[in-house]
């Protein structure tokens, strides 16, 4: 019996994320109280999705509203589905003596159900129904022998049908406040229960009775499914399908206090199914709870009634952990087929039989929805992706190891790739084995680019299985280096760094030869491995923002090993230069970078030459050495363009540096082409660090060139890639870029951009690197200038270090000085604004970059406008627009035009002002820059004759003016047509001409014009 729990029961599983479904059930119950609405509710969903829990909660609510709530379950134990009316009998067991005594209708109903169950059972067994007229009292000899004829079958059906009608009639006499009948697991219902449900759906009750059934759709018999479908079509049945829970619901209710990464893993593995979520959380606890308890036991309880063959097949599928053919499943499950039987299987070898036995077992498992074949029926998989993990956890270790051994042997015989065999080799291995390690290494190599975390796991297992002897030492060191690289690509940067430090400590250089002293005293030449480890470790330290540590590693390696292999030495110098660049100290390494470039050219090493060139180009572009940067970038581009994508995969960081160089040199088209290629290469090669930065660079280019929507998509993808990599500075810079794009994508005054920028600044903390400084500057851009200019100035000065912002990137400094000048004007400090603007003009002239010259012109234009020199300000802003257009910076051009328009108007050139405004607004609108569109709509210059009454409307015909007035009153085109006895199409044509003649673009704008010019009078009252 399954009773409704008390409301105060603390042991109930939490009900999560089903408020909408509960509200709907409440509403349906209210309808039934009035005798209206569907008579039944069909609750469906995957196993574990929360159907039973929803019924429990609804039963509590219904009981609180005064209804009698009875709950039963069909087939509560194996074989129970054969008991007639079993689910209804189970429900009426909840009816206590008090309810029977006080509600005669319920008492009568209970007696009918109980007698119906017994009578139907008697008929099924060959005896009559004692309380039905015309049915014999006893069983004759033929009945006892089980020899029923067709008349007996008809008699049995007649008895059941009569019982169904009587129970249905009794339900129709239930008085208010009513009855809620909850029938769970209806897919396992006996025929009598199905017949009763069908009767109630075909003959809906007028009494306050609500039937709520829960079932698994895949396991529902066809007769029941068709009955429910017909009822849904007729309106007698309401459908309620339970889908996965939202991630936040699972986190808050099912895993409170768990780390976000853990919650994300559990949610991904469970697919939002609450029972699987709880079961996985139960098994993945730090102390490892027993797998056969709690929610795990609930899920695995379905395996209890399985036969030995069926159970073995389920275990085999679980060990195979995915879709497999029936032949492979049989090879793993069947004793002897996979190479021997365990003690567990000794007594059941005879039961396996041939393929027919296996196919029959698979069909039985599919009918139970434990196994699901694909559409073609060739491969099999578990009902839920998490089920294999739970089943494996319930296996004893010896059984699990034997199944893994069989799986690996079967896969090896079939020629499966190493990546398919690897999990089973790990599961079956018992000690060191070089052959096992070799397969694991091969598997890691096959998956490293797409799944570095799995590759790192397999490399760790390979190291565990590789014999720890002197002959394998060099191989162990190489595998350790590969594992560290995989860990870094998987985002486990600190773990990778620590492993690399241990590797570096293991290899001690000696007399320039770089031997590695082993415990057995067998030195091996591993200088290349050590240098590669130092290079990779410095990269990880840099990513973690530990620039002094990275420099110390690189400097010591160069000093200890002054003449390593040429390629490795180039790599060390490039990484040293990158460290200096990100620490904003590139001039310190410029000389060494130039020397290394000369060496690479002398060796005719094109890949190394390109590496150094891109570093030098980016360093010079950052520092504002645009001439040298452009020359180096051009040379580097020629080399990288000649490389195939496969060759570029090993030098993808060069593409990152070259792309940013071209973006800073305002060669946006070239930079976009470069990032497009680099993103594709980085994706295929599994280079997440480079991918995140290339996406950022592409977002920056799309943003400046006026494609805000695309820029936002790229910035958000970059953030998605950067997040699991760790490293506060890359994450903070990614968030800052997204915040800046978001500011322009949202309407003017939307707070989301500022909130995102504040989060970005908080992420980088107190770091003083290139990325951290940029994140703080982007926060200054996102603070509303008119509301808090002092905060804008403060953010810029903290990032820049002084009034000249000398710590900021020189090649972008004029743009930051523009913002500083604007903030000073709003704050009431015109002298400081003029100083910052003049500084911007000087630096922009030195750089020779059009977009930066445009920024300086805007800064100077703001100063002139503040002085009241409208004509000069207009010229400065229009010059800024021309400079921005020269580089294709559409967003900056639009902003400059919108700033220029009102000052051109004030200088007396209205038509030109309107033209500038229209172009600026169109650029903003086409690019999805909603902030600038709002700015345009708020600053539209008025036409010269706008101050005269009816001035702009004087060009309209009388009919057009009449229609304009009605539109200003808020009438739709249809309403105007009705008022003036015109066709809607005619009104639309008039309105379009009004827009064209007056220059307005919206009905709101036309209404504003009508109000301002005072036109209207009594015209709108005409009928």
């Amino acid at each position: 019996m399954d009773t409704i729990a008390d409301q105060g029961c603390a042991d109930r599983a939490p009900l999560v994320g089903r408020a909408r479904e509960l509200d709907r059930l409440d509403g349906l119950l209210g309808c039934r109280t009035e005798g209206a609405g569907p008579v039944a509710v069909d609750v469906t969903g995957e196993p574990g999705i929360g159907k039973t829990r929803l019924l429990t909660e609804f039963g509590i609510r219904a009981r609180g509203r005064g209804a009698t709530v009875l709950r039963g379950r069909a087939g509560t134990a194996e074989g129970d589905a054969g008991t007639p009316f079993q689910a209804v009998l189970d429900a009426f067991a909840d009816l206590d003596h008090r309810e029977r005594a006080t509600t005669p209708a319920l008492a009568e109903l209970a007696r009918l159900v109980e007698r119906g169950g017994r009578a139907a059972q008697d008929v099924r067994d060959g005896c009559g129904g004692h309380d039905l007229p015309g049915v014999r009292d006893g069983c004759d000899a033929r009945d006892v022998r089980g020899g029923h004829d067709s008349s007996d079958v008809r008699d049995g059906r007649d008895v059941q049908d009569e019982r169904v009608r009587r129970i249905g009639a009794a339900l129709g006499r239930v008085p208010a406040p009513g009855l809620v009948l909850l029938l769970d697991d209806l897919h396992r219902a006996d025929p009598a229960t199905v017949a009763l449900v069908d009767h109630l759906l075909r003959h809906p009750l007028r009494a306050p009775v609500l039937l709520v059934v829960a079932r698994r759709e895949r396991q529902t018999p066809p007769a029941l499914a068709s009955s429910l479908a017909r009822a849904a079509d007729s309106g007698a049945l309401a459908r309620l399908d339970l889908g996965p829970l939202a991630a936040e619901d699972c986190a808050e209710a099912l895993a409170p206090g768990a780390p976000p990464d853990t919650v994300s893993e559990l949610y991904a593995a469970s697919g939002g199914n609450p029972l699987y979520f709880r079961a996985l959380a139960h098994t993945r606890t730090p102390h490892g709870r027993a797998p056969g308890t709690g929610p795990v036991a609930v899920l695995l309880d379905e395996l209890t009634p399985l036969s030995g063959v069926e159970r073995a097949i389920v275990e085999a599928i679980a060990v195979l952990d995915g879709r497999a053919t029936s032949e492979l499943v049989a090879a793993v499950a069947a004793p002897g087929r996979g190479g021997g039987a365990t003690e567990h299987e000794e007594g059941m070898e005879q039961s396996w039989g041939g393929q027919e036995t296996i196919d029959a077992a698979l069909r039985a498992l599919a009918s139970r929805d434990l196994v699901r074949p694909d559409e073609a029926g060739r491969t099999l998989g578990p009902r839920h992706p998490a089920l294999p993990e739970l089943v494996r956890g319930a296996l004893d270790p010896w059984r699990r190891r034997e199944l893994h051994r069989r799986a690996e042997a079967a896969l090896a015989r079939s020629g499966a790739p190493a990546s398919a065999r690897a999990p089973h080799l790990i599961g079956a291995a018992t000690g060191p084995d070089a052959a096992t390690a070799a397969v694991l290494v091969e598997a890691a190599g096959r998956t490293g680019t797409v799944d570095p975390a799995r590759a790192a796991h397999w490399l760790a297992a390979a190291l565990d299985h590789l014999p720890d002897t002197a002959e394998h030492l060099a191989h162990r060191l190489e595998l350790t280096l590969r594992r560290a690289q995989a860990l870094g690509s998987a985002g486990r940067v600190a773990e990778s760094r620590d492993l690399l430090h241990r590797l570096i400590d293991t290899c001690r250089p000696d007399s320039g030869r770089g031997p590695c002293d082993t415990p057995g005293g067998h030195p091996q030449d591993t200088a290349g491995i050590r240098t590669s480890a130092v290079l990779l470790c410095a990269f990880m330290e840099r990513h973690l923002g530990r620039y002094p540590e990275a420099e110390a590693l690189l400097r010591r390696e160069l000093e200890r090993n002054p003449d390593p292999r040429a390629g490795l030495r180039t790599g060390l110098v490039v990484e040293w230069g990158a460290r200096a660049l990100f620490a904003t100290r590139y001039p310190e390494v410029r000389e060494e970078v130039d020397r290394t470039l000369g060496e690479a050219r002398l060796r005719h090493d094109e890949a190394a030459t390109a590496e150094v060139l891109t570093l030098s180009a980016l360093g010079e572009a950052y520092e504002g050495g645009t001439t040298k940067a452009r020359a180096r970038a051009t040379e580097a581009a020629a080399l990288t363009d000649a490389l195939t994508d496969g060759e570029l995969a090993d030098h993808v960081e060069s593409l990152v540096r070259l792309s940013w160089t071209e973006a800073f040199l305002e060669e946006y088209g070239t930079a976009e082409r470069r990032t497009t290629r680099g993103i594709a290469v980085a994706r295929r090669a599994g280079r997440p660090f480079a991918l995140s930065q290339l996406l950022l660079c592409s977002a920056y280019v799309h943003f400046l060139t006026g494609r805000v929507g695309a820029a936002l998509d790229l910035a958000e993808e970059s953030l998605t890639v950067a997040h699991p990599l760790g490293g506060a500075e890359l994450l903070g810079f990614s968030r800052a870029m997204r915040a800046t794009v978001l500011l322009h994508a949202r309407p003017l005054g939307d707070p989301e951009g500022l909130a995102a920028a504040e989060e970005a600044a908080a992420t980088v903390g107190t770091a003083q690197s290139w990325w951290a400084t940029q994140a703080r500057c982007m926060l200054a851009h996102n603070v509303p200038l008119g509301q808090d200019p002092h905060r804008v100035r403060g953010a810029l000065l903290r990032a820049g270090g002084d009034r000249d912002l000398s710590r900021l990137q020189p090649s972008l400094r004029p743009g930051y000085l523009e913002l500083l000048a604007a903030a000073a004007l709003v704050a009431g400090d015109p002298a400081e604004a003029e100083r910052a603007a003049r500084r911007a003009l000087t630096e922009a002239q030195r750089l020779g970059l059009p977009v930066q010259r445009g920024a300086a012109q805007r800064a100077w234009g703001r100063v002139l406008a503040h002085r009241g020199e409208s004509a000069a300000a207009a010229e400065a802003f229009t010059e800024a627009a021309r400079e921005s257009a020269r580089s294709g910076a559409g967003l900056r051009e639009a902003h400059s035009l919108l700033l220029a328009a009102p000052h051109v108007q004030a200088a007396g050139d209205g038509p030109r002002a309107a033209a500038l405004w229209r172009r600026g607004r169109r650029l903003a609108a086409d690019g999805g820059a909603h902030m600038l569109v709002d700015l345009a709509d708020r600053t539209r210059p008025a036409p010269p004759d706008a101050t005269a009454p009816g001035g702009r409307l004087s060009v309209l015909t009388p009919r057009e003016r009449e229609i304009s007035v009605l539109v200003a009153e808020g009438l739709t085109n249809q309403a105007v047509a009705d008022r003036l006895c015109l066709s809607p199409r005619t009104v639309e044509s008039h309105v379009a001409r009004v827009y064209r003649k007056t220059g307005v673009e919206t009905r709101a704008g036309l209404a504003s014009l009508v109000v301002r010019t005072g036109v209207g009078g009594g015209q709108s009252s005409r009928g």
Side-chain angles (χ1 to χ4, degrees):
M1 182 178 68
D2 194 357
T3 61
I4 298 294
D6 188 281
Q7 288 196 23
C9 179
D11 295 331
R12 289 201 307 272
L15 181 70
V16 183
R18 300 298 185 198
R20 182 180 61 83
E21 289 85 352
L22 269 176
D23 289 343
R24 188 176 179 204
L25 287 171
D26 284 343
L28 292 170
L29 177 58
C31 291
R32 290 309 305 160
T33 303
E34 302 296 329
V39 72
V41 185
D42 180 24
V43 180
T44 57
E46 289 287 309
I49 204 68
K51 301 182 295 295
T52 299
R53 184 66 190 86
L54 179 66
L55 262 59
T56 300
E57 191 67 25
F58 175 60
I60 294 170
R61 287 195 178 190
R63 180 166 289 176
R65 295 174 61 170
T68 298
V69 179
L70 303 178
R71 178 174 178 181
R73 176 177 293 171
T76 54
E78 191 69 12
D80 277 359
T83 302
F85 297 108
Q86 190 272 331
V88 188
L89 282 167
D90 188 34
F92 273 88
D94 287 350
L95 195 63
D96 59 29
H97 296 294
R98 181 181 58 81
E99 289 171 315
R100 288 173 183 259
T102 57
T103 313
L106 289 176
E108 176 196 1
L109 186 56
R111 285 193 298 271
L112 280 171
V113 169
E114 291 161 2
R115 291 178 182 176
R118 289 195 301 269
Q121 183 68 42
D122 289 342
V123 171
R124 195 188 68 173
D125 293 339
C127 297
H130 300 292
D131 62 342
L132 286 178
V135 180
R136 59 189 183 276
D137 286 339
C139 302
D140 60 22
R142 186 183 64 230
D143 295 333
V144 174
R145 291 192 304 271
H148 306 300
D149 60 19
S150 59
S151 63
D152 296 323
V153 174
R154 285 195 300 273
D155 288 345
R157 288 176 181 170
D158 290 342
V159 170
Q160 178 177 290
D161 290 345
E162 181 63 23
R163 283 294 170 192
V164 165
R165 286 191 291 272
R166 287 192 175 193
I167 294 171
L171 282 169
R173 293 192 290 272
V174 171
L179 170 67
V180 173
L181 185 59
L182 307 173
L183 301 184
D184 205 355
D185 288 341
L186 195 68
H187 54 279
R188 297 193 298 193
D190 59 274
T193 301
V194 173
L196 175 60
V197 170
D198 179 67
H199 177 82
L200 295 176
L201 294 175
R202 286 187 295 106
H203 305 284
L205 303 171
R206 296 180 181 178
V209 176
L210 180 65
L211 171 65
V212 183
V213 301
R215 63 187 176 94
R216 299 178 184 179
E217 200 153 16
R218 284 175 175 267
Q219 295 172 256
T220 301
L224 176 59
S226 62
S227 175
L228 295 172
R230 286 193 299 269
D233 290 342
S234 69
L237 178 81
R239 298 277 196 184
L240 195 59
D241 184 55
L242 303 187
L245 297 177
E248 54 269 21
D249 290 332
C250 290
E252 293 173 7
L254 303 181
D261 289 345
T262 301
V263 173
S264 297
E265 291 174 5
L266 291 172
Y267 186 78
S270 68
N273 186 303
L275 185 57
Y276 282 98
F277 188 100
R278 292 172 56 221
L280 292 170
H282 190 84
T283 58
R284 294 182 183 184
T285 55
H287 302 294
R289 299 185 197 177
T293 60
V296 183
V298 175
L299 284 168
L300 298 184
D301 183 58
E302 284 190 77
L303 308 185
T304 302
L306 300 183
S307 68
V309 174
E310 292 168 348
R311 178 80 181 226
I313 288 175
V314 170
E315 292 172 352
I317 291 175
V319 167
L320 289 168
D321 196 21
R323 307 201 72 82
T325 62
S326 59
E327 292 78 14
L328 180 58
V329 170
V332 177
R337 299 193 185 204
T342 65
E343 182 180 352
H344 170 79
E345 300 163 323
E346 286 180 356
M348 62 180 226
E349 287 193 35
Q350 297 300 321
S351 66
W352 280 92
Q355 188 65 39
E356 296 82 2
T357 303
I358 295 172
D359 291 343
L362 287 171
R363 280 193 294 271
L365 291 170
S367 69
R368 291 177 178 272
D369 197 30
L370 286 169
V371 170
R372 293 180 181 176
D374 65 3
E375 291 183 1
R378 288 191 294 268
T379 60
L380 304 162
R383 173 175 70 205
H384 190 282
L387 192 58
E389 177 182 338
L390 300 173
V391 173
R392 288 196 304 270
L395 291 173
D396 68 63
W398 300 275
R399 169 72 172 164
R400 186 167 57 244
R401 187 167 62 209
E402 171 60 20
L403 291 176
H404 277 300
R405 185 191 67 76
R406 293 182 192 174
E408 196 283 323
L411 288 167
R413 287 194 301 271
S414 67
S419 55
R421 297 168 55 196
H424 305 296
L425 281 169
I426 295 173
T430 57
D433 178 56
T436 295
V439 177
L440 293 172
V441 171
E442 181 185 351
R446 285 174 174 266
T447 61
T449 59
V450 295
D451 193 348
R454 186 179 293 271
H457 171 68
W458 284 343
L459 287 169
L463 286 165
D464 288 340
H465 292 98
L466 191 66
D468 192 6
T469 60
E471 63 180 304
H472 295 291
L473 178 60
H475 192 33
R476 293 184 69 85
L477 296 175
E478 179 190 356
L479 293 182
T480 302
L481 180 63
R482 288 178 59 182
R483 179 169 180 258
Q485 189 168 20
L487 287 170
S489 295
R492 295 153 65 180
V493 179
E495 189 177 349
S496 171
R497 185 268 318 274
D498 294 344
L499 181 60
L500 288 165
H501 274 294
R502 291 196 295 273
L503 178 59
I504 293 166
D505 289 341
T506 301
C507 297
R508 300 184 181 90
D510 181 29
S511 65
R513 186 164 170 261
C516 180
D517 298 326
T518 68
H522 302 285
Q524 299 187 22
D525 190 357
T526 56
I529 290 178
R530 175 191 168 86
T531 303
S532 296
V534 168
L535 184 59
L536 186 57
C537 188
F539 177 87
M540 298 301 171
E541 295 282 25
R542 170 163 64 88
H543 181 71
L544 292 170
R546 293 160 52 94
Y547 300 109
E549 290 81 358
E551 180 181 13
L553 271 172
L554 295 164
R555 188 183 294 277
R556 183 178 65 174
E557 186 65 18
L558 287 168
E559 291 172 352
R560 285 184 174 181
N561 197 6
D563 190 26
R565 291 203 306 266
L568 286 176
R569 186 181 187 283
T570 300
L572 291 171
V573 172
V574 169
E575 180 56 39
W576 190 26
R579 183 273 321 161
L581 176 59
F582 280 86
T584 66
R585 293 164 56 187
Y586 179 76
E588 297 177 4
V589 301
R590 181 182 280 128
E591 185 177 343
E592 182 63 31
V593 170
D594 287 345
R595 181 164 47 250
T596 304
L597 176 59
E599 294 170 355
R601 283 170 169 162
L602 286 174
R603 295 195 311 271
H604 302 287
D605 186 339
E606 293 185 350
T609 301
E611 289 275 357
V612 186
L613 279 170
T614 56
L615 172 66
S616 175
L618 182 56
E620 298 302 337
Y622 176 93
E623 294 294 333
T626 53
T627 301
K628 185 176 181 180
R630 188 168 280 110
R632 296 262 160 112
T634 301
E635 186 180 355
L639 293 173
T640 56
D641 287 346
L643 297 176
T644 67
D645 286 358
E647 292 169 326
L648 267 180
D650 294 328
H651 305 282
V652 70
E653 292 287 334
S654 287
L655 283 182
V656 174
R657 292 188 290 266
L658 184 55
S659 298
W660 277 113
T661 299
E662 291 165 340
F664 291 150
L665 293 175
E666 300 177 4
E667 298 172 1
Y668 299 128
T670 306
E672 183 176 350
R673 179 174 64 83
R674 192 87 53 209
T675 56
T676 299
R677 185 186 185 192
I679 287 168
V681 170
R683 285 194 205 281
R684 286 195 297 269
R687 301 288 190 267
F689 297 98
L691 177 59
S692 178
Q693 296 178 59
L694 286 163
L695 288 166
L696 274 177
C697 184
S698 186
Y700 178 74
V701 169
H702 279 76
F703 172 67
L704 285 179
T705 53
R707 291 167 289 171
V708 177
L712 185 58
D713 291 340
L714 288 161
E716 289 180 339
E717 185 181 356
S718 171
L719 184 57
T720 300
V721 175
H723 191 271
L725 295 177
E729 294 182 10
L730 175 58
L731 184 59
F733 184 44
S734 299
R735 284 175 170 163
M737 179 67 73
R738 175 183 175 274
T740 299
V741 179
L742 192 63
L743 173 73
H744 289 76
R746 295 288 187 266
L748 190 64
D750 189 290
E752 190 175 352
L754 176 58
E758 289 171 335
E759 182 184 18
T763 301
V764 300
T766 59
Q768 295 299 322
S769 69
W770 174 15
W771 281 342
T773 300
Q774 291 297 319
R776 295 190 192 95
C777 290
M778 291 179 186
L779 171 60
H781 272 292
N782 278 267
V783 173
L785 188 63
Q787 297 177 17
D788 198 348
H790 298 288
R791 187 182 181 192
V792 175
R793 291 180 70 182
L796 285 172
L797 293 173
R798 280 192 298 275
D802 54 33
R803 296 167 62 201
D804 291 333
L805 307 182
S806 56
R807 279 211 306 251
L808 299 187
Q809 181 175 341
S811 55
L812 297 180
R813 196 178 293 148
Y816 297 127
L817 287 167
E818 177 200 355
L819 182 59
L820 186 64
L825 285 173
V826 178
D829 191 349
E832 175 60 19
E834 182 173 344
R835 189 204 63 78
R838 290 186 182 279
R839 179 78 179 180
L841 288 167
T842 300
E843 297 209 12
Q845 189 62 35
R846 178 183 63 81
L847 290 170
L849 297 173
V851 174
Q852 295 304 312
R853 286 200 300 262
Q857 287 291 340
R858 283 194 302 274
W860 186 241
R862 292 176 187 274
V863 172
L864 294 171
H866 183 78
R867 293 177 182 172
E869 301 176 23
S870 295
E875 181 57 33
F877 288 131
T878 51
E879 178 61 23
R882 284 192 291 269
E883 292 282 13
S884 300
R886 193 168 291 123
S887 284
L891 193 76
R892 300 298 184 228
E893 181 187 359
H895 190 199
S896 302
L897 290 169
L898 294 175
L899 290 173
H903 297 288
V904 172
Q905 169 74 26
D909 193 346
R912 182 165 176 254
L916 293 175
W917 181 89
R918 282 195 297 271
R919 174 168 173 76
R921 191 187 188 283
R922 186 174 66 252
L923 285 172
D926 291 347
H930 297 294
M931 184 192 77
L932 290 182
V933 171
D934 280 1
L935 177 66
D937 291 342
R938 296 184 186 189
T939 60
R940 177 173 187 159
D945 59 350
T947 56
R952 292 179 67 185
L953 297 181
S954 61
V955 296
L956 304 180
T957 66
R959 176 66 84 181
E960 289 168 350
R961 296 182 69 187
E962 186 176 30
I963 289 174
S964 298
V965 172
L966 293 174
V967 168
E969 291 182 0
L971 273 65
T972 65
N973 286 355
Q974 182 64 58
V976 173
D978 293 342
R979 178 77 64 88
L980 301 180
C981 299
L982 301 173
S983 72
R985 185 179 296 275
T986 300
V987 174
E988 289 174 7
S989 300
H990 280 302
V991 171
R993 284 195 292 272
V994 168
Y995 285 168
R996 186 172 61 254
K997 290 180 179 181
T998 61
V1000 299
E1001 298 181 356
T1002 65
R1003 300 175 80 88
L1006 180 57
S1008 176
L1009 179 60
V1010 170
V1011 171
R1012 290 202 312 270
T1013 55
V1015 174
Q1019 295 183 67
S1020 63
S1021 63
R1022 290 177 56 185

